[in-house]
Amino acid sequence: MTGALPDGERAQLAPELLAEASRQFRMCTSCRLCWRVCAVFPAVELRRTFASGDVAYLANLCHDCRACFSICPFKARSRHARGIDIPALLAEARARTYEQFARPRRLWRLLAGPRPLSVVVALTLAFFAIVAVATGDPSRIVDAHDEERSFYHVIGHLWLVIPASAITAYVLAVVGAGVYGFWRETGAAPRELLDLRANARAALDVLGLRFFRGGDRGCAYPGDRISPVRRRLHYCVFLGFLATFLATVAAAFEQQLLG
């Protein structure tokens, strides 16, 4: 998390955002009050000038816990204001990198638009319409079925497995392409990607939500009161997804192997 920054200069952040990031980071490196707060500031000190790839990299280290803003003597609301707001700066840079490395770009713009829910509903209805026509008996979708395994009399097992597998493979491919694109844009070397020690340390930081602790006091988000609640809620979300995944794997094992 705090290893050497890549040297790439290819990430296309706006010049004004890059200039503002350089200004704020220079202030931060002269102050160093936030050095122990999170992963961003030790990484900032590895640079004297900041290319676009550096800012994109730093933005994705930030967890938006606002711990740095709460103790910053130069923040916008302080007596000695210098307009320093690292969380807002990195949030904007992070949003731009999300859009830049989303694959395919058109799908990102569609889902990030004002009506993503309607798009998902429309695609779901289209899928069920295709199923109804392909099965040859659309009435089965609305009829009652009391017999054993009645669910698969409505929608066949393969109609669930094949589309779900195709969507999963597609999602993994586009996420992998986005990660690879970000890695290339930040100028990282292949040997860094294969550094087992660095990957193990990063995995422990992620699983332990190390940088959500905000210097062990917690996060000051969305208000100004510092609390560990946000970190605990992230744990709950992670455990919820993990429980869902394990339940699905267990159900597949019981059905396919144990009958």
Side-chain angles (χ1 to χ4, degrees), residues 179-234:
V179 170
Y180 177 74
F182 176 77
W183 174 68
R184 287 291 304 274
E185 292 287 350
T186 55
R191 58 180 177 79
E192 295 172 329
L193 189 65
L194 300 176
D195 188 334
L196 296 180
R197 180 177 296 179
N199 287 324
R201 187 176 66 219
L204 290 175
D205 289 344
V206 170
L207 294 175
L209 294 181
R210 175 184 173 190
F211 298 107
F212 266 100
R213 296 176 181 176
D216 292 328
R217 297 186 303 158
C219 297
Y221 178 84
D224 293 328
R225 187 175 67 87
I226 295 176
S227 166
V229 170
R230 187 170 181 238
R231 181 167 175 260
R232 293 169 182 171
L233 291 177
H234 273 77

Side-chain angles (χ1 to χ4, degrees), residues 212-259:
F212 266 100
R213 296 176 181 176
D216 292 328
R217 297 186 303 158
C219 297
Y221 178 84
D224 293 328
R225 187 175 67 87
I226 295 176
S227 166
V229 170
R230 187 170 181 238
R231 181 167 175 260
R232 293 169 182 171
L233 291 177
H234 273 77
Y235 267 126
C236 290
V237 172
F238 169 73
L239 293 175
F241 277 112
L242 180 62
T244 302
F245 174 75
L246 293 177
T248 303
V249 172
F253 176 80
E254 292 179 359
Q255 175 175 298
Q256 301 299 324
L257 299 181
L258 303 182

Side-chain angles (χ1 to χ4, degrees), residues 8-31:
E9 300 187 14
R10 292 171 292 177
Q12 301 302 311
L13 295 179
E16 61 273 13
L17 179 60
L18 180 59
E20 179 61 16
S22 298
R23 182 189 73 84
Q24 294 198 32
F25 286 145
R26 283 196 297 269
M27 290 285 296
C28 293
T29 53
S30 64
C31 173

Side-chain angles (χ1 to χ4, degrees), residues 111-134:
L111 294 177
R115 296 182 179 84
L117 180 59
S118 22
V119 174
V120 174
V121 170
L123 292 175
T124 303
L125 293 176
F127 170 73
F128 279 105
I130 293 172
V131 171
V133 173

